[in-house]
Amino acid sequence: MQSTPSSNMISKWYCPKCGSFSLKKRHRGYFKKTILKQPLQYKCGECDEKISELDIEGNEAREVPIFIADQ
């Protein structure tokens, strides 16, 4: 159980283009993951933007909406 109330949770995991918190990890096959060493990428559910982990790390922390934090 978390000690912080869900209404006060802070996160950097949102789309820098549209601000949506609905990110999904993109599948990488064996070739891309092992041989090419391609970094993880995420896809935004709202605007279909492809985002790398470096883009997410550059985001400013924002408050997560309560309905997302409770899931």
Side-chain angles (χ1 to χ4, degrees):
M1 188 93 193
Q2 296 177 350
S3 61
T4 314
S6 59
S7 62
N8 295 334
M9 291 180 66
I10 305 295
S11 176
K12 290 184 170 190
W13 289 88
Y14 61 89
C15 176
K17 184 176 179 183
C18 69
S20 172
F21 283 92
S22 63
L23 297 179
K24 185 175 182 180
K25 188 165 87 170
R26 296 187 67 214
H27 175 74
R28 297 176 299 162
Y30 175 80
F31 184 76
K32 288 181 180 179
K33 189 185 303 182
T34 308
I35 297 175
L36 296 179
K37 307 246 187 259
Q38 187 181 45
L40 285 173
Q41 284 193 334
Y42 296 87
K43 182 177 179 182
C44 177
E46 298 291 322
C47 66
D48 292 332
E49 182 77 13
K50 294 174 186 153
I51 306 159
S52 71
E53 282 190 314
L54 295 175
D55 294 336
I56 293 172
E57 288 177 9
N59 285 345
E60 291 185 25
R62 291 189 356 188
E63 191 169 323
V64 177
I66 193 165
F67 61 89
I68 293 177
D70 285 338
Q71 292 181 357

